Amino acid sequence: MSAGALPSIPVRSGNPCRDHGCSACCHDTEMLLTEADLARLRATTGRDDFWFQADDGYLQLRTRDGPAAPGAPSPTAKPCALLAADGTCSVWEDRPEGCRLYPAVWDSELRKSHFDVDCPHTDGFLLPQTTQDAARRLAARLGIERGVRLGRAP
């Protein structure tokens, strides 16, 4: 799937994150990656230092040491390895699917999507059924890929 075909969360207007100078979700991130995200980002960046496989088998964006970028939730927050020094995403056009859907998150216990309580600008986003479905499908795909990595049948 090309990056242009990936679902993105709809907004009320503009870009709530950029409009508010916010990069809170890009700090101390635990963003999970699909295999397709990883392949696309490797091709885009020519790097392999922006991710890791966590002990639980999920692929995850890495944070980096260094100063927090503008819009961070705190001065000690660790920025995503792909966040530019000015607080913007260095791979915006090719960003991971989870980043595209954020602040919509899938709650496996409630079995539904909702806005992440850590996002300070959820009022700038919409959460139609299509986005909720995309978050559910992403969570399922991440689980299947993790199962394969751990040697479990999907």
Side-chain angles (χ1 to χ4, degrees):
M1 181 180 277
S2 72
L6 292 172
S8 292
I9 191 165
V11 297
R12 294 189 188 282
S13 67
N15 180 318
C17 307
R18 289 181 186 169
D19 295 348
H20 291 282
C22 186
S23 66
C25 65
C26 304
H27 288 79
D28 299 323
T29 184
E30 295 178 358
M31 183 58 67
L32 302 180
L33 302 171
T34 65
E35 295 284 349
D37 290 333
L38 184 56
R40 188 176 59 257
L41 290 167
R42 280 175 164 161
T44 297
T45 65
R47 297 170 36 199
D48 206 31
D49 62 346
F50 60 86
W51 71 282
F52 67 100
Q53 182 173 321
D55 292 340
D56 62 6
Y58 284 108
L59 305 181
Q60 217 173 304
L61 277 177
R62 187 179 296 281
T63 57
R64 60 181 163 76
D65 291 329
S74 78
T76 59
K78 290 186 173 193
C80 168
L82 299 173
L83 191 66
D86 67 357
T88 61
C89 180
S90 67
V91 293
W92 181 258
E93 293 301 320
D94 295 304
R95 68 195 183 282
E97 191 171 351
C99 296
R100 291 168 182 275
L101 293 171
Y102 192 84
V105 293
W106 175 254
D107 187 316
S108 58
E109 290 180 19
L110 297 177
R111 301 203 42 79
K112 70 176 198 169
S113 296
H114 59 85
F115 284 130
D116 190 341
V117 297
D118 292 332
C119 176
H121 304 294
T122 56
D123 58 341
F125 296 92
L126 302 170
L127 191 56
Q129 190 62 49
T130 54
T131 302
Q132 294 179 51
D133 292 344
R136 178 185 45 76
R137 286 189 307 272
L138 174 59
R141 187 167 56 257
L142 289 164
I144 290 168
E145 291 179 358
R146 172 185 178 252
V148 169
R149 277 189 292 283
L150 296 176
R152 300 179 187 148

